[in-house]
Amino acid sequence: MPTHTIDPTKWVDKYSDYLFNYTIVRVNDREVANDLISETFLAGLKSMENFKGEASERTWLISILKRKIIDHYRKTNSKKGQAEIHINYRDGENEGDWLEEQVADQFDKTAEEEMENTELGIAILDCLEKINPKHATIFKMKTIDGIDTDVICKEFDITPSNLWVIIHRARTALAACLEKNWF
C-alpha cells in the first residue's frame, strides 16, 4: 500500500490565504477566522496518520476546516438557543416549528452548489492573477481583507478617490475575466 505524505511545514505558506478567504465569508469575523484556521492546522497535525491521499492536502484541510466552522456555529447557536422561543403551529393540515422553517441552514448545500462555489472561487483567484497586479492587491486588501481605506492609501501613496477608481477598475476587469473564462 503506497504511503501518502503531507508536509505540515508548508501548510501556512501554501494554504493559509486560501483557508482564510474560505473562512472569512462564512464567519465574517477576522479573529474567529484566524482561530478556526489555527484549530484546523492543529487538528491536521493531530490526525496526519488519517490522511489517505484520496484528496489533495488542501481539500483535506478544507474538510477539517468545514467541520471546525460547523462546530463554531453549533457552539454559538447552542448559547443563543437557550433564549430562543420556538413557535409551534397547527394550521388545518399543516403543522411544524416556525423558527426552523424560517431559518435556512447555510451549510445545507447540494454537491452541485458546493462545486459551483469552489469553481467560482478558483475562477476569481485565477482572474485576480490576470489583472493589473497593483489593482488586484488593492482590491484584495479592501474587499477581501477589509483593510481600512486610510491604511491602503498610505501604503500605496494614493488618495481615497484614487483608491475607489482602482477598485472599480479591478471589479470591471474581474467581471470581464469571469464572463470570458467562467460563465
Side-chain angles (χ1 to χ4, degrees):
M1 185 153 119
T3 305
H4 301 286
T5 60
I6 53 178
D7 188 358
T9 62
K10 296 182 180 174
W11 286 354
V12 173
D13 292 334
K14 288 173 74 174
Y15 307 120
S16 61
D17 288 340
Y18 181 83
L19 294 176
F20 180 80
N21 291 335
Y22 181 90
T23 308
I24 195 69
V25 298
R26 286 160 177 78
V27 298
N28 199 27
D29 183 323
R30 296 177 67 78
E31 193 172 311
V32 170
N34 286 326
D35 288 346
L36 291 171
I37 293 165
S38 296
E39 290 175 22
T40 298
F41 287 148
L42 184 60
L45 284 171
K46 289 180 179 177
S47 63
M48 283 174 47
E49 67 277 355
N50 296 334
F51 181 73
K52 296 178 181 138
E54 294 171 356
S56 69
E57 240 180 354
R58 186 176 85 170
T59 302
W60 181 67
L61 288 169
I62 285 288
S63 70
I64 295 171
L65 178 59
K66 285 178 183 178
R67 288 191 296 275
K68 295 294 178 189
I69 292 170
I70 291 168
D71 290 345
H72 163 75
Y73 278 110
R74 281 187 181 142
K75 185 166 60 171
T76 302
N77 289 331
S78 71
K79 291 176 187 170
K80 289 179 183 175
Q82 295 169 357
E84 286 177 353
I85 299 173
H86 288 271
I87 302 170
N88 293 316
Y89 68 90
R90 173 175 249 139
D91 179 23
E93 295 178 15
N94 302 317
E95 67 178 86
D97 185 319
W98 182 86
L99 184 63
E100 286 184 10
E101 292 175 10
Q102 299 302 314
V103 180
D105 183 359
Q106 66 184 17
F107 296 107
D108 187 25
K109 294 184 178 179
T110 65
E112 186 176 319
E113 289 171 322
E114 281 291 327
M115 186 182 306
E116 188 172 302
N117 283 343
T118 301
E119 289 173 358
L120 176 59
I122 291 167
I124 290 171
L125 292 174
D126 288 343
C127 285
L128 278 170
E129 291 177 5
K130 294 177 183 174
I131 68 173
N132 179 310
K134 180 179 177 182
H135 293 185
T137 301
I138 290 173
F139 177 83
K140 287 181 208 173
M141 289 174 75
K142 185 65 183 165
T143 308
I144 297 172
D145 298 334
I147 296 174
D148 190 52
T149 299
D150 293 336
V151 173
I152 298 170
C153 289
K154 285 178 186 172
E155 184 171 329
F156 287 92
D157 194 29
I158 58 175
T159 65
S161 61
N162 192 0
L163 170 82
W164 293 109
V165 168
I166 289 171
I167 289 175
H168 173 72
R169 289 179 181 163
R171 284 183 180 144
T172 303
L174 278 172
C177 178
L178 287 171
E179 189 172 318
K180 179 180 176 186
N181 297 309
W182 192 67
F183 292 113

